[in-house]
Amino acid sequence: MRLPGNKILRIRGWALALIFIGMIVMYAGMFFRNIPWLMLIFLILGIIPILLSFVIYFYVGMISARAVRVQCPNCGKHTKILGTVDYCQHCKEPLTLDKDLEGEEFNIDYNVKHRREKLKQEMAEKKSRSN
C-alpha cells in the first residue's frame, strides 16, 4: 500500500493538476475556432481552474509559512508538519508533535481535536484494562 504524502505536498499536487486541467480545457477550445462564442466559453472555463490554483498556491504559501518545522528521526531531513500528525516529506515516516501519541498507530484523525481526545481516552482505557 502506498503511503500518502505530506499534506503540503498533496495540496500543491492538486493545485498543479488544476493548472493542467485548465490548460486542457482551453486547448479544447481551439477545436472550435470557427465558432467564436464557443471558443470563448472554453477559454473562460479553462481560466477558472487556473485562477483557483493560484488561490490554492497562495493559501499553501500562507500555511506553509506558519507550519512547524521538525527533523525527521528516520531520514534526518527537516520537514514541515501541519496539525498534530503528518508524514515526512522525504521518507513518508509518520511524525507527531504530541508526546502522548508517540509509538501509537498512525491515524490522520489525530489532527481533529475532539477525535484526538476521544482516541486518547480509548487508548487510556485500553491500557487500564490490560494492567
Side-chain angles (χ1 to χ4, degrees), residues 28-94:
M30 299 316 283
F31 291 114
F32 301 104
R33 275 185 247 157
N34 299 333
I35 311 170
W37 62 270
L38 191 57
M39 180 180 165
L40 181 65
I41 289 174
F42 272 95
L43 291 179
I44 291 172
L45 288 176
I47 285 179
I48 292 171
I50 291 175
L51 292 176
L52 184 61
S53 73
F54 171 76
V55 171
I56 291 172
Y57 273 122
F58 181 76
Y59 174 70
V60 168
M62 296 298 287
I63 63 173
S64 179
R66 64 182 173 149
V68 178
R69 191 175 180 144
V70 298
Q71 186 173 8
C72 176
N74 189 30
C75 65
K77 296 180 181 176
H78 290 278
T79 187
K80 291 183 178 182
I81 293 182
L82 289 179
T84 305
V85 294
D86 202 355
Y87 290 100
C88 176
Q89 291 177 339
H90 309 286
C91 67
K92 303 215 177 23
E93 174 79 16

